[in-house]
Structure formats: C-alpha cells, structure tokens
Amino acid sequence: MTEELELLRQADPVSADEGPWRDRPLTARAEARLEALTSGAVPVSRPRPVRRSRLVMGLTAASLAGAAALALTFSGAGSSPAVAAPVALPLHADAPSVSLDALARRAEARARAAGAADGPLRGSHLQSWYMSMESGPNAAPPVTVPEERITHWNDDGSGSELVVATDPRHPGRPVIHDNDGHWQTVSDGKVLHQKTYPAGSEAQHSGLASRTRPSTDPAALREQLSWLYGGPGGTRTTPQLLSALSSFRQEWTPGPRETAAVVRMLADAGGLRQAGVVTDRLGRRGQAYVYDGPDGATNSTRQMVIFDPRTGELLGLEVTFTKDEPEFKIKSGEVMSYEAWMP
C-alpha cells in the first residue's frame, strides 16, 4: 500500500507539501462533512422555535390591522406593556476596563485549570429582545418582543425546550407576543412553547450544528462557525462573525476551554474596540467591545459584545441603530436586538 501511494503521489502534479491541496489534517468543515457521509446522517431541522429575524420589514394586511388594534388596546390598558424600543446600554465612565487580549488571557488561564468534566453543554438559556417594524406613511411604531428560551439535550438523546413571554426589565407587566404575524399581549411568564423529548430523540430532531462539538482552538472554531452558521458569506467580516457566534450560542453552552477559544478568536479577528464597562439588562457587570464599522447595505448599526470580566463568558450581544430610519420610524440610538445569555 505504501508503494502504491507513493506512485500515486508521483503521478499527481499537485504538490503534497504546499498549496491548497497539500497533505494536511482535515479542517473542521471537512471533518463535519466526512462524519455526515460516513454515518449516513442528513442534517435536519428539529421542531423548535428558531431565531427570530431581527427585522420584519413587511407585514400582511391582516397583520397591519392587528397592529392597529393593538395600538388601541395599548392606549386604553390599565397595565400596558412596554412597547418602546429600549435604548443602548450606557457605559460606566469611572469603571476600569481591559483589552480584549487581556480578557482572552484571563479566559485561557481559567481554561487551563478546568477539569475533564467542564466541557460544553448542548443547549442554551437565552433572554432576547427583538424589534419588529413596519414601513410606509401609516406604519405603526416599532415593537420590541421579549422572550426567554431554554433548550437542553442530554447524553442519552433526551431533551427539552421551553419558550416563555417575559421581560425581566418589567416584571409582572403584560408583554407582546408574535402569534404567527399577529401581535397580541399576553401575561408575563406565559408559556409559548414547551416540549419534552424521550431518550434517543436528538438524532431525529437536531441538525449537524447541534451535534458538532465546538473546537477549543480559536482558528478551528472560527472555521466551524463559518461552515455551520456563517451562511453564503461565511465569517469574513466582524458582523458576520458575531452573527455566527449568536447562532452557535443558541445551540451550545461553552465550557471554560470553548469560552477561551471564543474570546481569543475575537481578539485575533480584530474589528472590536475596547468600549468600557456596562451593566447588562439582567443586572450583570460586563466588559463591552464595540464594532461600529461597515455592516452591510445600510451601514446604520453598531454591534456591542459583552463578556464577564472574570471568566470571559459571553453575556450579551446588542445591535443599535446609529442613524434615523424615518421610513420605519426608527431613531438613532434605539436597539434593534439584544440577546442575554445565561448558564
């Protein structure tokens, strides 16, 4: 076999030592494809609530009518929900901050002390606020929809999913819920979705992304995010990388080693500037890093990523408008989306 392999290499004009087709270990993308091929697995979507689109630009006539009715309900309700878009998190001017590289070193030190059992967990715990908006002269004001989502998968393939309508900023007050494109108010804590899966269910209900264990190497992790979550454009830009990181975090809860890889990956990628210290919407103190460069077609948003200053764990991602968008009744400084991650 060795002689036959050497003959093939001599007949192949492509170098085995350099260039894109050189002999080398499989990349994360190639490993994922090889695993899918050899196991016969086909990526499928499991029946769970998917990430809400950050912008809902067009609504049907029925949705518009529903929004108008809601506006009347809000104005006459004794305990109305908070419908205004939240403003961006303010910085604590007198609080010391650290560079992303220094935070990465802290996370790496924590990772070295982690035990064998401190690995990543399949599933996540997310509190989100996503803005929906309409366009046109008669458009209703933007609406912010708050939800809490908990997903968990066990080693035996059993799992559970829970989605609750709640806004921790206003406990006990009614919240807005998107009921298939129709906005309605529901009581705080209302269960919107709940599902329990028996042992052996994960293989039928999860996709390749949720079964691909995250790498602890920063470069390999970025390649994983690009392949599994990056879409056609991959993760070439910082906004694309942060979007892929958000999608990844909805599938996995990183352990100390994966957390260190995330922080180092962002530090090496560049594009994020040290902003300072903030208190997030769950009352947690965090180190904030901001990207305010080109974000695509409109270049009208700023992205902030927030980390625990002691561990490097991802606490939140905030996207804020930096320009007025009169067509959608958006003002500069309003928050388009905010995601707060919990253990």
Side-chain angles (χ1 to χ4, degrees):
M1 177 63 72
T2 303
E3 294 179 355
E4 293 171 346
L5 181 59
E6 185 58 35
L7 288 174
L8 286 173
R9 283 175 172 161
Q10 293 176 4
D12 187 354
V14 177
S15 172
D17 303 315
E18 59 185 36
W21 295 281
R22 66 189 183 279
D23 292 344
R24 64 192 188 280
L26 292 177
T27 63
R29 179 175 182 175
E31 286 180 351
R33 282 186 166 179
L34 179 60
E35 179 184 358
L37 287 172
T38 56
S39 65
V42 178
V44 295
S45 298
R46 68 173 182 253
R48 63 175 177 83
V50 296
R51 182 183 180 188
R52 183 185 310 281
S53 174
R54 285 177 172 166
L55 291 175
V56 181
M57 297 295 189
L59 296 178
T60 64
S63 300
L64 291 174
L70 276 177
L72 294 175
T73 301
F74 296 155
S75 62
S79 178
S80 61
V83 296
V87 297
L89 295 177
L91 296 171
H92 298 293
D94 58 343
S97 64
V98 299
S99 68
L100 196 53
D101 181 71
L103 185 63
R105 291 197 297 271
R106 290 182 187 176
E108 288 161 351
R110 178 171 173 260
R112 288 192 292 271
D118 297 328
L121 300 176
R122 286 172 292 178
S124 67
H125 188 181
L126 166 68
Q127 174 68 47
S128 64
W129 291 263
Y130 293 127
M131 179 187 287
S132 177
M133 63 197 75
E134 304 168 14
S135 62
N138 299 318
V143 175
T144 298
V145 181
E147 288 182 353
E148 182 178 7
R149 298 167 179 260
I150 303 174
T151 305
H152 180 72
W153 290 100
N154 302 307
D155 291 339
D156 65 357
S158 63
S160 61
E161 297 167 341
L162 176 66
V163 183
V164 177
T166 186
D167 188 343
R169 301 174 306 154
H170 307 285
R173 294 178 61 179
V175 297
I176 301 173
H177 166 53
D178 176 10
N179 185 13
D180 294 329
H182 298 270
W183 303 109
Q184 65 183 65
T185 56
V186 297
S187 60
D188 182 31
K190 178 178 175 59
V191 175
L192 304 176
H193 170 85
Q194 188 170 20
K195 183 75 172 180
T196 300
Y197 298 96
S201 298
E202 186 183 16
Q204 288 77 41
H205 298 292
S206 65
L208 179 61
S210 67
R211 300 196 306 272
T212 303
R213 188 181 179 92
S215 175
T216 58
D217 176 77
L221 178 62
R222 179 164 187 169
E223 186 173 1
Q224 273 188 337
L225 295 186
S226 179
W227 158 236
L228 295 170
Y229 308 101
T235 57
R236 293 191 301 270
T237 68
T238 299
Q240 289 172 332
L241 183 58
L242 293 179
S243 178
L245 178 61
S246 169
S247 298
F248 156 72
R249 193 56 184 80
Q250 294 186 47
E251 299 278 5
W252 289 87
T253 298
R257 286 173 285 269
E258 294 78 21
T259 292
V262 167
V263 184
R264 177 55 65 189
M265 173 189 70
L266 293 178
D268 292 346
L272 288 168
R273 62 175 175 83
Q274 180 179 336
V277 177
V278 298
T279 299
D280 78 353
R281 286 181 173 78
L282 299 182
R284 303 170 299 184
R285 210 71 165 182
Q287 294 284 337
Y289 305 88
V290 168
Y291 175 83
D292 45 19
D295 61 2
T298 61
N299 294 328
S300 61
T301 64
R302 182 194 71 166
Q303 301 194 47
M304 176 188 289
V305 57
I306 304 164
F307 292 103
D308 185 303
R310 299 169 294 105
T311 65
E313 292 175 328
L314 177 64
L315 298 182
L317 288 167
E318 178 183 79
V319 181
T320 306
F321 285 100
T322 57
K323 299 178 183 177
D324 290 346
E325 297 287 349
E327 182 180 0
F328 303 101
K329 298 188 177 181
I330 295 294
K331 294 182 179 180
S332 177
E334 292 182 334
V335 174
M336 183 168 72
S337 67
Y338 188 89
E339 298 169 332
W341 304 101
M342 294 166 277

